[in-house]
Amino acid sequence: VQLVESGGGTVQAGGSLRLSCAASGFAYNDYGVGWFRQAAGKEREGVGCTHVTKGEIHTTYYADFSRGRFTISGDNTKSSIDATESTIYLEMNDVAPEDTAVYYCAGGWGYACYPGLGGDDYASWGPGTQVTVSS
C-alpha cells in the first residue's frame, strides 16, 4: 500500500487548508484510511478516519477536537467494485495554532477505522506533511 500526503503549508489562524492523501495498492476494495497528527514534543493523535468500500466512503469517525471543524471526504470518481485506490481529503477549517503538526495518513483493512482512532491497525503510513498555523 502506498500513501502520499500533500497540501500542507502555513495558514493563518481562522483559515482553512485541505490536505490530500493519495492511497493505492490495497489488496481489496474494502479498506480504512486514517488521518493522524503529531506536534513537536507530543504523542501522535488520531484526527479522523474513513472506511472505504467499493470506492465509496462507508463510515467516518472524528476526534473530539476535529469534529465540526475538519471534514474527511473522498474522490468517488473511481467508484467501482474493483476500486483499490482513492484520494482521501482532510478539509481543515477554523484552524488554530494548536493544530500545528505533521499530518499523516495511514492505510489498513476496513476495521482499522473505528471510533477510538487508534493507529496500531494501520499497516502503511505516508511520509507526512507539515501544517503550521500562525497566530
Side-chain angles (χ1 to χ4, degrees):
V1 177
Q2 296 79 44
L3 304 111
V4 179
E5 306 92 342
S6 61
T10 301
V11 59
Q12 287 192 331
S16 299
L17 200 65
R18 188 176 79 163
L19 306 183
S20 300
C21 172
S24 63
F26 292 101
Y28 297 98
N29 59 15
D30 185 294
Y31 53 86
V33 174
W35 282 100
F36 296 82
R37 70 183 188 182
Q38 187 166 21
K42 296 187 177 182
E43 293 187 352
R44 184 187 68 199
E45 61 180 347
V47 177
C49 68
T50 186
H51 179 183
V52 182
T53 301
K54 299 178 183 179
E56 296 187 353
I57 287 182
H58 176 67
T59 310
T60 303
Y61 299 108
Y62 295 95
D64 288 343
F65 70 82
S66 62
R67 189 178 301 110
R69 293 193 302 132
F70 296 179
T71 302
I72 295 174
S73 62
D75 177 0
N76 292 331
T77 59
K78 299 177 182 176
S79 173
S80 79
I81 194 171
D82 296 324
T84 57
E85 62 181 53
S86 61
T87 299
I88 303 299
Y89 304 102
L90 178 66
E91 181 82 29
M92 304 167 59
N93 298 309
D94 192 23
V95 296
E98 51 265 37
D99 293 318
T100 294
V102 178
Y103 284 72
Y104 301 89
C105 65
W109 293 103
Y111 64 77
C113 176
Y114 62 96
L117 300 179
D120 292 345
D121 291 322
Y122 292 97
S124 302
W125 293 76
T129 186
Q130 175 70 47
V131 172
T132 302
V133 182
S134 60
S135 58

